[in-house]
Amino acid sequence: MNIIHLTDYFPDYPGNFGYTLIAIVEKVSRYGGKCFVSFPEPRVWHEMIRVEGGEVIYLQVHKFKEKKIDLYSIKFLNYLIKKNKISLVHVHFGLSQKVITLFLKILNPKLKVVWHWRGDVDDNNNKLKIVGYFLFFRIVSNFFVNAHIANSNNIAKRLKLKRLVSSHKLFSLPNSINIKELNPNKYKREIEDLSVQYNTKNIFTLLMIRNFRRRVDFDIIIQTMEYLKNLSEKIQLLWVGYGETEIDIKSQVKIKKLDNIHFIGKVSNPVPFYCISKVNIIAWEPWCKETINNTAYEALACNIPVVGLNFGGLPETFSEEEGVFAVPLDSKNYAEKILYIKNNYDKLKPSVLKGRKKVLRNFSLDTYLIKLYDIYQYS
């Protein structure tokens, strides 16, 4: 099987998304196939894809919302498909890439098309746009797309509820994590240095790994830390991330004089930060109506309990008996659950261990690849 993966996402470090692509490339190559991965811009870690036998291409796809169709990309990809006898295109992120696959399908009727959903279509009060979205996605789903992959059961339910995709073509496939990269023994020196730097042996340390994006509700996190400070609790938050709203968030924290929040910035490897932290917290993401992300899996794999919102994928996937505490969207609820974990940390270790076993069993790269290939074959 020869495959192209199209994405408009190009992180500076591979992370789980990158390692998943690398694992797919390795598996395709191992069985004698070719795998191409398209990014908008080059990154150093893309060489890892080439090492595993894949080929990387760079395409600057025009934004569909700008009402432009990228004829060059269509022409180039069509040439690539015909030359290499590519049988499947898998699209990650981006409406522009999805639109391009429609043209590729018309030009290559036997081509399989897989769309990967990491959120559904944004809610919109404009009735005309709602009807337009429905018609576009419904028609495309029926006639052009072979399979839809939802990033979680919650997203799959929302796609079904809005009737945007054909139910018989919809599959739920949660993200996977690279278990091999979560080995603390590989980072002992770095862990020791960070522990001393942030005095984590004496201060109960929370961790949040999330880039600064406009469509993420970070207010709840800031309010939670403000609430804990007012209680004079010896608790700190290490905030790993960077992005478009970073200046605004830091300004809020400065105005509120929250010296219990430390901004770490961009990191190439989050494992040492998991190893020096006691609790992983997750922000609410209204843009995709989702509460679970890879940090929940990673934290549990590192034996760290998780606190997040009691909506969507988080409570559907894990329970308190598995070290995940889903609470109502309120800073007091977040803070009280953090205090509960702090005061019962040793008692909760068996629950967290149970959650860890579930992650290793259900969310490893190996499990993900088996399920993904089943979808490829079914479609």
Side-chain angles (χ1 to χ4, degrees):
M1 180 183 292
N2 297 340
I3 303 173
I4 294 179
H5 285 263
L6 300 178
T7 176
D8 64 358
Y9 182 54
F10 48 104
D12 292 328
Y13 306 105
N16 286 303
F17 177 69
Y19 284 122
T20 300
L21 286 177
I22 292 165
I24 293 170
V25 168
E26 189 276 331
K27 184 165 185 175
V28 171
S29 300
R30 192 190 333 144
Y31 288 102
K34 290 183 179 180
C35 192
F36 297 83
V37 184
S38 170
F39 296 100
E41 295 179 10
R43 292 291 184 268
V44 173
W45 66 269
H46 294 172
E47 185 59 29
M48 299 168 70
I49 293 175
R50 298 185 181 96
V51 168
E52 295 298 341
E55 294 191 33
V56 181
I57 56 178
Y58 299 105
L59 294 174
Q60 286 284 353
V61 178
H62 288 306
K63 299 285 186 182
F64 182 62
K65 64 183 180 182
E66 295 174 358
K67 299 181 180 179
K68 296 179 180 178
I69 301 299
D70 191 345
L71 296 177
Y72 170 79
S73 294
I74 294 171
K75 184 177 179 181
F76 177 79
L77 290 170
N78 184 54
Y79 166 79
L80 206 64
I81 289 167
K82 293 184 182 301
K83 179 183 178 182
N84 296 280
K85 297 181 180 179
I86 288 166
S87 57
L88 186 145
V89 175
H90 187 151
V91 182
H92 308 263
F93 304 97
L95 183 57
S96 300
Q97 281 79 358
K98 288 181 170 68
V99 171
I100 281 178
T101 59
L102 306 188
F103 290 92
L104 296 177
K105 181 76 171 182
I106 293 170
L107 294 170
N108 305 274
K110 293 184 179 180
L111 182 70
K112 290 183 179 181
V113 174
V114 176
W115 281 7
H116 211 129
W117 296 79
R118 287 170 167 79
D120 63 9
V121 175
D122 290 337
D123 291 324
N124 198 301
N125 294 324
N126 187 313
K127 291 184 179 180
L128 187 61
K129 283 189 176 182
I130 292 174
V131 173
Y133 275 138
F134 174 79
L135 291 174
F136 173 77
F137 284 108
R138 190 65 183 176
I139 293 172
V140 166
S141 171
N142 282 329
F143 297 105
F144 293 95
V145 181
N146 298 85
H148 297 270
I149 299 176
N151 223 29
S152 70
N153 290 332
N154 177 46
I155 291 172
K157 287 178 182 178
R158 291 184 62 82
L159 290 170
K160 286 182 181 179
L161 183 64
K162 292 185 176 182
R163 300 176 66 190
L164 292 175
V165 304
S166 304
S167 296
H168 68 283
K169 296 181 178 180
L170 180 60
F171 303 87
S172 178
L173 182 61
N175 285 348
S176 65
I177 59 173
N178 189 358
I179 304 296
K180 296 177 183 178
E181 289 298 311
L182 298 176
N183 181 5
N185 293 325
K186 294 169 61 177
Y187 312 103
K188 284 185 178 180
R189 180 60 183 272
E190 191 173 352
I191 291 169
E192 291 174 2
D193 291 344
L194 287 171
S195 181
V196 172
Q197 181 179 353
Y198 293 104
N199 194 19
T200 57
K201 291 184 179 179
N202 298 310
I203 303 176
F204 193 80
T205 302
L206 314 177
L207 176 68
M208 185 172 72
I209 301 178
R210 190 65 182 93
N211 285 338
F212 300 91
R213 297 181 62 182
R214 297 190 188 283
R215 296 190 292 175
V216 181
D217 181 8
F218 292 126
D219 290 342
I220 187 71
I221 306 301
I222 295 173
Q223 292 164 8
T224 298
M225 296 310 297
E226 186 176 21
Y227 186 94
L228 290 169
K229 183 178 181 180
N230 291 336
L231 293 177
S232 299
E233 288 289 338
K234 205 172 183 181
I235 298 176
Q236 65 180 348
L237 169 65
L238 304 182
W239 192 332
V240 175
Y242 65 100
E244 58 190 4
T245 61
E246 185 172 357
I247 295 176
D248 293 338
I249 297 295
K250 287 183 176 179
S251 296
Q252 289 184 50
V253 170
K254 186 176 181 180
I255 291 171
K256 293 176 180 290
K257 298 180 179 180
L258 297 179
D259 54 2
N260 56 354
I261 297 179
H262 304 286
F263 295 102
I264 309 302
K266 183 189 302 185
V267 300
S268 59
N269 178 20
V271 175
F273 289 93
Y274 284 118
C275 294
I276 64 171
S277 303
K278 297 292 187 182
V279 180
N280 184 73
I281 57 177
I282 299 177
W284 162 232
E285 306 210 14
W287 75 275
C288 62
K289 316 298 186 298
E290 191 50 280
T291 55
I292 194 168
N293 58 38
N294 289 343
T295 65
Y297 308 136
E298 291 176 340
L300 287 171
C302 293
N303 292 307
I304 301 171
V306 176
V307 175
L309 184 64
N310 64 346
F311 172 84
L314 197 63
E316 288 179 356
T317 309
F318 298 102
S319 66
E320 291 196 2
E321 288 72 31
E322 294 166 325
V324 175
F325 300 86
V327 300
L329 187 60
D330 180 84
S331 58
K332 183 179 179 181
N333 293 312
Y334 266 73
E336 288 180 348
K337 191 58 68 175
I338 289 167
L339 291 174
Y340 169 77
I341 295 172
K342 179 186 177 186
N343 296 329
N344 297 275
Y345 204 79
D346 290 336
K347 293 180 182 178
L348 294 172
K349 286 182 178 180
S351 297
V352 178
L353 181 59
K354 187 176 179 181
R356 182 179 190 275
K357 290 179 179 178
K358 184 173 185 176
V359 168
L360 298 183
R361 182 175 62 251
N362 297 331
F363 302 103
S364 69
L365 266 177
D366 290 339
T367 301
Y368 181 92
L369 290 176
I370 291 171
K371 293 179 179 179
L372 179 64
Y373 257 70
D374 285 344
I375 294 172
Y376 284 169
Q377 296 299 330
Y378 174 82
S379 63

